[in-house]
Amino acid sequence: MKINKNFDNLVPNYLFAEIAKRVNEYQSANPDKDIIRLGIGDVTLPLAPVVIEAMKKGADDLSKKETFRGYPDYEGYAFLREAISGYYKSFGTDVGADEILVSDGAKSDCGNICDIFGSENVVLVTDPVYPVYVDSNIMAGRKIIYADCSKANNFKAMPDDSIDADIIYLCSPNNPTGAAYTKQELQAWVDYAIRKDAVILYDCAYEAFITEDLPRSIFAVEGARKCAIEFCSLSKTAGFTGTRCGYTVIPRELERDGHNIYKLWYRRQATKFNGVSWPVQCAAAAVFSDEGQQQIKVNLEYYKENARIIADALDELGIYYTGGKNSPYIWLECPRGMSSWEFFDFLLEKANVVGTPGAGFGSNGEGFFRLTSFGDRDKTIEAVNRIKKLLSE
Ligand code: MLT
């Protein structure tokens, strides 16, 4: 018996599992310390009332023979896919309900989509990068190439025609940097993908945080239907990090290598995934109702205000950062020339504040650090005060 040797090429631990391990060790050794966690992007506000009502009703349905549900439809219930399609329409993008596949989240789909592509494909990711794209393709044994993001390009890598790629991961607004592409910039990526006969895997899990006039979907860009798959999630938009529900959009006409991509993904999902439960799909549909949209906006505003509080403190301290405006993440340059992990330890030990070291997102993340705005308001203010005090000493 042999294991998949590609696992030997992974860093030992998933980034956020590694951080949790280090923080738990520190907390065990220092039980009296009040640690504030602004590391993993996990939400802290409860689900919206209309969402909870729908979930309770969905659970109630399961208690009666007449309304009981077993296996859901493989692509997700039609009423939820219709609601998602209507949501796209609300910001001017046409996506058919029959092009949407409901799942347990964007993270799993971004990794699982690898199943439908050959292992000889070259994968292009931006660096810094959400580790799921890299780790999933290392597991599959694919060659990965990196497009550099830095202060010089405002952490927005652009395509380079001298480089060939088959699969291109883009995330906008970006995790971890918070940088968001304009329509023109996305157009350049779409045109490049079409020239290379590549597929763009577009992660827009943070689209609900866009405040400026920027595309909420890759399908707002001309030609995207010929080359893109989009992943989105209710985790950050509506607080579903624990509840789990997301969706993937594949244009019906998208083909590569003589195969229809929608059909391949449907085949993969029907084989390995049994869908999202009835109460959760009912709850997800409620997110897209008028009332649901109003209620989730309140939570989104709360997180956006947290982002402003963090950004204001960095402005006061004269620290360079990106994000925080169209994104729940603030990506800052580590002060005093510290490395990412040095700053992680420094903040943990001296201020009892947890963030995410930029180096965990790739070599271009070295010297940078990510803070999330998904924390509790009072704790965010307390964390910011501690950071200001520490860095003014
Ligand atoms: C993040 O904080 O980047 C994500 O929420 C973490 C994850 O998906 O594991």
Side-chain angles (χ1 to χ4, degrees), residues 14 16 40-41 107 130 175 236 329 370:
Y14 180 58
F16 295 100
I40 192 164
K107 173 181 176 175
Y130 180 41
N175 180 12
K236 317 293 160 111
Y329 297 127
R370 194 193 79 176

Side-chain angles (χ1 to χ4, degrees), residues 97-161:
D98 64 346
E99 301 181 304
I100 294 166
L101 298 107
V102 174
S103 73
D104 64 340
K107 173 181 176 175
S108 13
D109 282 10
C110 283
N112 292 336
I113 195 83
C114 289
D115 276 6
I116 69 169
F117 299 120
S119 58
E120 61 277 44
N121 286 306
V122 173
V123 180
L124 180 108
V125 299
T126 57
D127 174 6
V129 58
Y130 180 41
V132 171
Y133 316 150
V134 170
D135 290 357
S136 306
N137 282 286
I138 289 177
M139 289 173 190
R142 285 196 193 93
K143 181 180 171 193
I144 302 171
I145 53 175
Y146 296 85
D148 289 331
C149 301
S150 65
K151 275 166 97 171
N153 59 12
N154 297 317
F155 286 95
K156 289 193 276 184
M158 293 305 293
D160 175 348
D161 259 289

Side-chain angles (χ1 to χ4, degrees), residues 204-240:
C204 62
Y206 301 95
E207 56 80 16
F209 291 84
I210 291 177
T211 49
E212 296 176 316
D213 184 22
L214 297 166
R216 308 266 300 262
S217 160
I218 188 97
F219 298 116
V221 173
E222 210 182 308
R225 294 184 62 88
K226 286 190 228 144
C227 66
I229 298 175
E230 180 158 292
F231 305 92
C232 202
S233 160
L234 296 185
S235 287
K236 317 293 160 111
T237 307
F240 275 53

Side-chain angles (χ1 to χ4, degrees), residues 14-16 38-42 106-107 110 125-134 149 155 169-181 202-207 236 322-324 326-331 356-358 360-362 369-372 374:
Y14 180 58
L15 176 61
F16 295 100
L38 302 181
I40 192 164
D42 197 3
K107 173 181 176 175
C110 283
V125 299
T126 57
D127 174 6
V129 58
Y130 180 41
V132 171
Y133 316 150
V134 170
C149 301
F155 286 95
Y169 278 92
L170 295 178
C171 176
S172 182
N174 189 265
N175 180 12
T177 69
Y181 283 118
Y202 191 73
D203 182 352
C204 62
Y206 301 95
E207 56 80 16
K236 317 293 160 111
T322 55
N326 298 299
S327 154
Y329 297 127
I330 290 104
W331 176 253
T356 309
F361 297 101
F369 199 75
R370 194 193 79 176
L371 290 172
T372 145
F374 287 119

